[in-house]
Amino acid sequence: MMRIFSFALLAQSVFALPDASPAPPSSPGACTAGYSKPQPWGFFANNTIYTPTGTESVTYPRHVELEDGTLLATVSRSGRSPAAFPVFESKDGGASWRWISDIHDQVNGWGFGAQPALTELTEPIGHFAAGTVLASGNSASNNGTRIDLYASTDKGRSWKFVSHIAQGGRPNTTNGATPIWEPYLLVYNHSLVAYYSDQRDPLHGQKLSHQVSTDLVNWGPVVDDVAYDEYIARPGMTVVSYIPPIDQWILVHEFPRGNSSSHGSHYPVYYRLAKSPLDFRLSEGLPIVINGEVAPNASPYVVWSSVGGPNGTIIVSDADNKVVYTNQAGGHVDKWELHDTPAGATYSRSIHIFKNHQDSLVLFGGETFDDMGLHLLTPFTATVVSLTDILKNW
Ligand SMILES: *[C@@H]1O[C@H](CO)[C@@H](O)[C@H](O)[C@H]1NC(C)=O
Ligand SMILES: *[C@@H]1O[C@H](CO)[C@@H](O)[C@H](O)[C@H]1NC(C)=O
Ligand SMILES: *[C@@H]1O[C@H](CO)[C@@H](O)[C@H](O)[C@H]1NC(C)=O
Ligand SMILES: *[C@@H]1O[C@H](CO)[C@@H](O)[C@H](O)[C@H]1NC(C)=O
Ligand SMILES: *[C@@H]1O[C@H](CO)[C@@H](O)[C@H](O)[C@H]1NC(C)=O
Ligand SMILES: *[C@@H]1O[C@H](CO)[C@@H](O)[C@H](O)[C@H]1NC(C)=O
């Protein structure tokens, strides 16, 4: 996450504020100067999905593309109690959006408002059919943090609690406290993998863990993905993607280590490549640095596109910059580039490549980390750009 100073802000914004007014309908089609009005499956900048009101702010967008090309997107919306994840749907490549549901905490009484994750079952698992949409997130209160799993059998219109994946202590980013954070869900080998940030191991300020379930109800042992001997290291915020040409998986994470910094970045972004997404613990951690001088900062996201040569393009986003970081050399550590985008910096910005439109890079937008809680009412947005065009602009 979770920059050290943020607990008070998180606690205040996600867990404690009184109820705000009901959600206004999302405003379709807002556009920005220099970019045309969003057309279905077109390219556009800052298309509004949802405009916050009152004391709300939106950060940490997450999304899933369903089998039929529908995009579902959600966001962490602070300023409401109890917190819930609003879900929006687009059937035309992000050009128009409508609200379809809120995902509420049904079991803890703690709200469900921080650090969402979405995926779709591409095959049946346990009693759940292919096409079931899954959601996770952090349900948190002063009594603890719980990474819970919810399922929707109607494409995101309604949700039912399935299981507690993992549980930790109350939200507290100080080393020695025992919360868990920031799930990421992956369907792999007839099972569901839940990755998360984990402060429960006394040997590590924070590490990255995963657990596997073959029925979505029972969860296997906690397995390390990234854990450093240096106690104060806090690898955080796993996101995983597959890179077909090299048949390897990539895990990206932020990597704060006390007050140290890399090229001016206090939350430098590292990655690991592995043949199995269950074996990242065996791989070497590599930094993303461009030209030996620029390093992305915080809450990375990673996707892959077949556009960009024999190895396609690995695309990484960070929290603090408009640019994306790309690699067309199968993840070679010296081959990262930086390319401008028209989208804004966003805390934990998620990005996407459409399955059937490999040149269309989606960047979800919301508030920056530093501006959370300032009530700027920065909207939840979708920007879609041509990856080919982005790669031309150094
Ligand atoms: C926290 O735990 C205490 C003691 O079990 C209980 O009284 C209280 O209702 C709990 N609060 C929440 C928000 O779960
Ligand atoms: C956070 O955790 C640290 C380390 O365990 C502890 O000293 C501190 O009291 C905790 N803060 C809160 C607000 O619980
Ligand atoms: C897939 O899961 C099965 C059964 O759990 C296991 O035996 C097999 O090794 C797994 N394969 C991979 C590639 O992880
Ligand atoms: C980081 O810097 C602050 C302020 O300079 C200092 O109080 C703190 O002890 C430092 N922490 C570490 C882990 O070095
Ligand atoms: C593609 O990736 C592989 C594995 O990293 C590498 O050996 C190869 O040189 C790359 N090809 C190109 C054109 O970058
Ligand atoms: C999109 O919004 C961001 C602020 O979130 C701004 O920095 C950027 O310039 C906007 N893009 C365009 C094309 O107006």
Side-chain angles (χ1 to χ4, degrees), residues 59 127 360 392-394:
T59 57
H127 296 301
S360 293
K392 281 186 209 144
N393 302 317
W394 175 252

Side-chain angles (χ1 to χ4, degrees), residues 232 257-260:
I232 61 163
R257 295 159 57 227
N259 289 340
S260 81

Side-chain angles (χ1 to χ4, degrees), residues 144-164:
T145 42
R146 281 183 181 152
I147 290 178
D148 289 343
L149 183 67
Y150 286 78
S152 172
T153 55
D154 56 8
K155 306 294 174 196
R157 276 151 188 77
S158 65
W159 298 90
K160 217 168 158 46
F161 173 78
V162 179
S163 57
H164 296 297

Side-chain angles (χ1 to χ4, degrees), residues 370-384:
D370 290 344
D371 290 346
M372 262 166 94
L374 297 185
H375 313 312
L376 303 181
L377 303 182
T378 301
F380 182 22
T381 56
T383 293
V384 186

Side-chain angles (χ1 to χ4, degrees), residues 249-332:
W249 296 82
I250 183 169
L251 180 154
V252 292
H253 66 89
E254 63 180 26
F255 191 28
R257 295 159 57 227
N259 289 340
S260 81
S261 75
S262 157
H263 308 280
S265 169
H266 287 276
Y267 289 73
V269 173
Y270 275 62
Y271 66 107
R272 291 179 176 210
L273 297 167
K275 280 283 172 200
S276 163
L278 307 179
D279 286 339
F280 288 113
R281 70 190 175 285
L282 306 175
S283 301
E284 185 191 1
L286 303 168
I288 296 181
V289 178
I290 293 89
N291 286 340
E293 53 192 26
V294 181
N297 196 58
S299 66
Y301 205 97
V302 62
V303 294
W304 178 83
S305 167
S306 60
V307 166
N311 282 329
T313 307
I314 302 167
I315 307 144
V316 171
S317 173
D318 71 349
D320 288 357
N321 295 286
K322 298 178 66 180
V323 300
V324 288
Y325 310 90
T326 61
N327 190 307
Q328 293 166 257
H332 191 291

Side-chain angles (χ1 to χ4, degrees), residues 192-212:
L192 183 68
V193 188
Y195 300 87
Y196 54 89
S197 310
D198 191 348
Q199 290 187 223
R200 297 169 303 181
D201 183 339
L203 296 178
H204 306 279
Q206 181 170 282
K207 66 179 183 179
L208 297 174
S209 303
H210 74 254
Q211 290 178 255
V212 177

Side-chain angles (χ1 to χ4, degrees), residues 28-32 34-40 42-45 47 95:
C31 62
T32 316
Y35 283 80
S36 51
K37 182 175 171 352
Q39 300 295 329
F43 301 128
F44 43 81
N47 185 26

